[in-house]
Amino acid sequence: MSGNDDEQEDSDTNLFDGGLDGSDTMGFGPLVPTETERSLMERVRQELKHELKQSYKEKIGDIREEILRKRRAGKLPGDTTSVLKAWWQSHSKWPYPTEEDKARLVAETGLQLKQINNWFINQRKRNWHINSSSSTSSQKSKRRR
């Protein structure tokens, strides 16, 4: 291939792909959209955005409900907790309900077994240290000596 062939090939490339310098095929410089084209592109973008919002609106609503439901979760009704607290107080020395106790509490409160189990776990974490604090403090003082 000669030097002229290379120049011809470069010229042909510029005609077909808009050139390597970003100019259009007519050599007028970089392509810049007109105001009409820009407004059309913006309208298309807004329409696509609206369509996406509409198609995902239901899904977003479901997610929002789930988040709000999870935020509300955690507070049991007062009458339910009073039943659990009554059992707790009558068994404060050993607050581990048997399976029969749990089944009775499920029937009385309407809670699920998992909720009953979690309530007792949390209650022991929060409050059982009060009953055992005197023995714990005496053990700590023995360790210091």
Side-chain angles (χ1 to χ4, degrees):
M1 235 166 130
S2 69
N4 286 342
D5 291 338
D6 289 341
E7 290 174 17
Q8 181 63 36
E9 190 175 311
D10 287 345
S11 174
D12 291 345
T13 302
N14 287 341
L15 286 175
F16 293 112
D17 67 4
L20 301 174
D21 60 356
S23 61
D24 63 12
T25 57
M26 303 300 279
F28 293 116
L31 293 176
V32 178
T34 65
E35 187 61 37
T36 307
E37 291 171 329
R38 274 194 294 257
S39 68
L40 178 63
M41 287 189 293
E42 180 61 24
R43 233 179 314 138
V44 168
R45 190 178 73 75
Q46 290 296 331
E47 286 176 17
L48 286 172
K49 185 177 175 182
H50 179 73
E51 286 178 29
L52 281 172
K53 279 184 179 180
Q54 291 302 317
S55 64
Y56 287 104
K57 192 174 191 175
E58 185 178 323
K59 194 69 170 167
I60 291 169
D62 292 345
I63 292 169
R64 183 175 289 137
E65 281 181 31
E66 185 179 339
I67 289 169
L68 292 173
R69 186 173 44 248
K70 285 182 178 179
R71 281 186 193 160
R72 282 186 296 235
K75 280 279 190 180
L76 298 176
D79 56 337
T80 301
T81 54
S82 63
V83 171
L84 296 172
K85 285 179 181 179
W87 190 97
W88 173 268
Q89 289 172 350
S90 64
H91 297 83
S92 60
K93 290 188 179 194
W94 188 251
Y96 290 88
T98 64
E99 294 305 315
E100 294 81 23
D101 289 335
K102 291 177 190 177
R104 186 178 53 77
L105 290 169
V106 165
E108 284 183 38
T109 62
L111 296 175
Q112 297 172 0
L113 179 60
K114 185 175 182 176
Q115 289 174 296
I116 299 286
N117 288 333
N118 286 340
W119 187 88
F120 278 102
I121 290 167
N122 292 331
Q123 188 72 359
R124 285 189 293 268
K125 285 180 183 177
R126 289 185 198 115
N127 300 310
W128 204 23
H129 68 279
I130 295 169
N131 294 339
S132 62
S133 63
S134 59
S135 64
T136 306
S137 61
S138 64
Q139 288 175 351
K140 284 182 183 176
S141 64
K142 287 179 186 176
R143 285 186 204 147
R144 289 182 187 157
R145 293 180 190 174

